[in-house]
Amino acid sequence: MNTAVHPDPQGSLIEDLKRGNSSAYKKAVREYSPGMLAVARFYLDYSSAEEIVQDCWVTVIDAIHKFEGRSSLKTWLHRIVANRCKNKLRSSKREVAIDFSESLEPELANRFNATGRWDLPPSLKFHESADTLMENDALSDCLDKHLSALPETQRSALMLYEAHQHKSEDVCNILDVSASNLRVLLHRARQKIFLMVETFQETGEC
Amino acid sequence: MLMCRDLAGIASDYIDGELTGRRNLSVKMHLMMCKHCRSFIGNLRASTDLMKAHSSSKPDEEFIRRIDERVAEALKTRKPRDGNNE
């Protein structure tokens, strides 16, 4: 008799995946694919990244039996995607070009005077929660536009760290970057998002 | 002395708690005296929260559908392990 107890929902999801349960796959695909795509987009263009994510899910059907739970399912999936992307880059002898320069965004750097104090201080004021603000379709569309315009490397780092809540060391491992380079990617991406939201709040324009 | 421009350069590290003791302390001291930098740190946090709320709200349905199809196709060719395929 099977007396195994799975107190955490992820445990039972993993067991269902191991049994090949199609509903479990639908649930897992919906939950984990956006993060897997964020990993793949760090390394590859959109269509190659999407193809890799699809291929990884097919791999997962066979490989899930080897999953021993040493990391979370999410981290395990993200590592599979990263390894596959790295192999693809290696076989095509390409590298990811990343700008790790630490400067402030020019638009932000120009807002300080010669003594380093604010000349044009931040004007944003948030009176509502992020979830309430996101009900504004125009703001949501604007965020879409600016997130798409971020360099892939910055966007992937930001998504994995913020939206998918990986620890720094996991992001470094998955994206193959040093801790200090991850800091630069996050720093630059956040500045851009801040500037975009500020412009939108001030002018209503994207 | 830490100036506003310097603080803007390390604001992201401060938010994530990545600054070492002395550096962290100098940011805190600066923030006590400078309302513009307090506002900047608050705004940087809030705009990141917005990005987080945004990206978790809308998965790309077409992208998900295409994966569902690939997975469903692949599952058909595998033998169910425990005879429980649904």
Side-chain angles (χ1 to χ4, degrees):
Chain A
M1 190 172 77
N2 182 4
T3 54
V5 175
H6 299 293
D8 65 311
Q10 193 182 65
S12 79
L13 176 66
I14 292 162
E15 290 309 312
D16 287 343
L17 292 175
K18 286 182 177 176
R19 278 195 286 270
N21 180 311
S22 57
S23 304
Y25 272 95
K26 281 198 165 213
K27 188 177 171 198
V29 162
R30 175 163 285 274
E31 186 169 343
Y32 297 111
S33 298
M36 292 163 77
L37 186 65
V39 173
R41 287 292 277 132
F42 181 85
Y43 296 99
L44 303 168
D45 63 81
Y46 187 90
S47 67
S48 306
E50 183 175 329
E51 201 179 312
I52 287 274
V53 174
Q54 286 187 16
D55 291 347
C56 281
W57 277 111
V58 175
T59 305
V60 163
I61 294 172
D62 292 320
I64 189 75
H65 306 287
K66 293 180 221 148
F67 177 73
E68 291 172 345
R70 288 200 198 108
S71 63
S72 69
L73 179 61
K74 175 177 71 181
T75 302
W76 184 72
L77 291 168
H78 288 183
R79 284 189 185 144
I80 292 176
V81 174
N83 287 335
R84 202 168 261 242
C85 290
K86 287 179 214 170
N87 287 340
K88 191 177 170 80
L89 281 180
R90 260 195 295 274
S91 64
S92 59
K93 296 191 168 60
R94 284 188 293 129
E95 284 182 358
V96 180
I98 311 177
D99 177 7
F100 287 126
S101 55
E102 278 197 57
S103 59
L104 286 178
E105 287 300 308
E107 221 182 305
L108 190 60
N110 291 339
R111 291 167 62 167
F112 298 93
N113 62 27
T115 65
R117 292 194 171 88
W118 286 100
D119 224 1
L120 193 60
S123 58
L124 268 179
K125 284 188 178 58
F126 288 94
H127 302 294
E128 293 160 302
S129 72
D131 286 332
T132 311
L133 283 166
M134 284 323 302
E135 287 166 15
N136 178 340
D137 287 343
L139 176 58
S140 177
D141 290 348
C142 191
L143 265 174
D144 260 343
K145 184 176 147 189
H146 283 263
L147 275 172
S148 318
L150 281 181
E152 303 306 340
T153 50
Q154 291 177 23
R155 187 173 61 219
S156 293
L158 191 67
M159 298 295 280
L160 292 185
Y161 187 77
E162 294 288 358
H164 299 285
Q165 302 191 323
H166 276 296
K167 290 184 213 143
S168 296
E169 54 263 43
D170 282 337
V171 182
C172 291
N173 189 293
I174 290 164
L175 301 185
D176 228 358
V177 294
S178 69
S180 59
N181 284 344
L182 172 64
R183 302 304 323 155
V184 173
L185 293 176
L186 290 174
H187 176 56
R188 302 196 70 182
R190 281 174 173 151
Q191 286 178 63
K192 290 194 181 110
I193 298 294
F194 159 76
L195 289 165
M196 172 249 123
V197 178
E198 188 180 52
T199 304
F200 185 86
Q201 295 271 70
E202 264 179 10
T203 65
E205 285 174 14
C206 186
Chain B
M1 193 175 117
L2 191 74
M3 301 306 293
C4 303
R5 195 194 149 95
D6 306 326
L7 187 141
I10 54 174
S12 182
D13 294 349
Y14 175 74
I15 286 174
D16 291 336
E18 294 282 341
L19 293 180
T20 52
R22 212 168 142 192
R23 199 98 165 119
N24 196 42
L25 191 65
S26 63
V27 171
K28 280 185 191 298
M29 298 277 283
H30 182 103
L31 289 177
M32 280 166 68
M33 296 178 293
C34 179
K35 68 172 182 180
H36 294 324
C37 283
R38 282 201 299 276
S39 164
F40 180 66
I41 292 280
N43 288 340
L44 206 58
R45 274 204 183 106
S47 43
T48 304
D49 285 348
L50 260 187
M51 190 283 302
K52 239 192 299 192
H54 173 69
S55 50
S56 54
S57 63
K58 283 198 307 188
D60 178 343
E61 293 300 332
E62 268 304 297
F63 164 63
I64 300 292
R65 188 188 58 74
R66 285 192 290 272
I67 302 172
D68 281 344
E69 281 176 8
R70 272 289 297 279
V71 169
E73 198 60 37
L75 280 173
K76 271 190 216 161
T77 65
R78 266 74 170 178
K79 269 191 186 166
R81 299 240 160 178
D82 293 343
N84 176 9
N85 202 24
E86 185 61 55

